[in-house]
Amino acid sequence: MIGLFGGTFDPIHYAHLRTALEVQQQLELAELRFIPAAIPPHRPQPLASAQQRLDMVRLAILDQPGMTVDGRELEREGPSYMVDTLASLRDELGEVPLVLILGLDALLGLPAWHQWTRLIGLAHIVVMERPGVVLPEQGELAELVRAHRTEEITRLAQEPAGAMLFLPVSQLAISATDIRARLAAGASPRFLLPDAVLDYIHEEALYGVSG
Ligand code: ATP
């Protein structure tokens, strides 16, 4: 089973890494792939280039067994739609179970994603739960959850796609927005992200840091 963790990673930080590891362990994933979005379709454009964000992910997971980074969204023109990424992975990998990992905030925005109803046919969806955030009871997202939700982790390994599972993970109030703001204000974000990533930010003079 391969887990897919998409994001902007502007920059990658310990909440991404810790939650990814917890999902990897709970699902016993053979591989967890980070997939940086080259041109994220539904948000302001990142400050670091796609190549820099890919480099930062690579530095962050350098010594971590089973974690990899996949740069395929940098090779496509136009907005980085997850449906295209999943279709290309499916073509390449055949019938292996794929697990798209989403934060609960990302799940709530899912109906705005390009061709979002195709996603569950291409991968399982695992949602990292956040206490206090409630799912809508009506509407197309509620329908998707009702139709696909399972409580059985073992079901995921038995089929290539089609199940939805909610997993509890440690709650870490770290965000890339906050890290960028600290850097721009001249404050250190150390211990919120790996030192290797922070060193790279300084080398590349990213986020308003002087080189
Ligand atoms: P920004 O602050 O720039 O919006 P971010 O820190 O939220 O960035 P993204 O790259 O947009 O990071 O997030 C990628 C994925 O990681 C999303 O699915 C998001 O839900 C999840 N994620 C981000 N921060 C956290 C966190 N603190 N805890 C759990 N999941 C998170």
Side-chain angles (χ1 to χ4, degrees), residues 97-110:
L98 294 175
V99 179
L100 177 63
I101 300 162
L102 297 177
L104 197 47
D105 55 327
L107 178 75
L108 296 179
L110 202 67

Side-chain angles (χ1 to χ4, degrees), residues 5-11 13 15-16 19 43 101-106 128 130 169-178 180:
F5 198 114
T8 312
F9 306 122
D10 188 26
H13 52 67
H16 297 131
T19 52
R43 51 170 289 149
I101 300 162
L102 297 177
L104 197 47
D105 55 327
M128 300 181 285
R130 195 171 274 200
V169 292
S170 293
Q171 302 299 308
L172 297 164
I174 302 174
S175 79
T177 302
D178 170 70
R180 294 193 302 271

Side-chain angles (χ1 to χ4, degrees), residues 135-146:
L135 279 173
E137 282 174 20
Q138 282 174 3
E140 39 194 7
L141 188 58
E143 288 300 319
L144 180 86
V145 175
R146 242 195 303 280

